[in-house]
Amino acid sequence: LSFILGKDGKLLTMRSNLIPLVDLPAQGSIEPEVLIEQLIGREFAYSDFSGNEQIYKVTRRADIEDIEDKNLVVYPKLDDDKLIFHLAYMVGVGKGKWTVYFDGITGEEIDITRDKLT
């Protein structure tokens, strides 16, 4: 099993003799507005540079990047010792502070990553 990732961490190529051919749809079927509604009002906890816990709350649409088909990625996730591949929307929140991954078919939240601060 081999994954080739770009410098930005995006999956470029996946090859395997262990995993059967994965058939994913080419487009998401969940409406982007549904995902936006899930994010408005959402709070994200983090520690600032001095170690104090802070809360960032998504208060408006402008806090969320546009959700388009170009945001679709194949997101592999280990779940109960199974590797599950999701067609997922990768959505930036808070001016590049977090990336939230949503299943592109069901709208289920798959994962959240905190982006590196530069």
Side-chain angles (χ1 to χ4, degrees), residues 103-118:
D103 187 287
I105 307 303
T106 67
E108 172 190 1
E109 186 177 300
I110 301 169
D111 204 359
I112 300 172
T113 59
R114 175 86 194 271
D115 299 339
K116 291 182 180 179
L117 301 175
T118 55

Side-chain angles (χ1 to χ4, degrees), residues 38-45 54-58 98 112:
Q38 289 184 46
L39 290 169
I40 298 288
R42 178 83 180 269
E43 294 182 345
F44 294 86
Q54 302 291 323
I55 300 292
Y56 173 82
K57 185 172 184 175
V58 181
W98 291 272
I112 300 172

Side-chain angles (χ1 to χ4, degrees), residues 8 11 34 38 44 54 63 69 81 83 85 103:
D8 59 0
L11 179 66
V34 171
Q38 289 184 46
F44 294 86
Q54 302 291 323
D63 296 337
D69 283 344
D81 294 331
L83 189 59
F85 293 89
D103 187 287

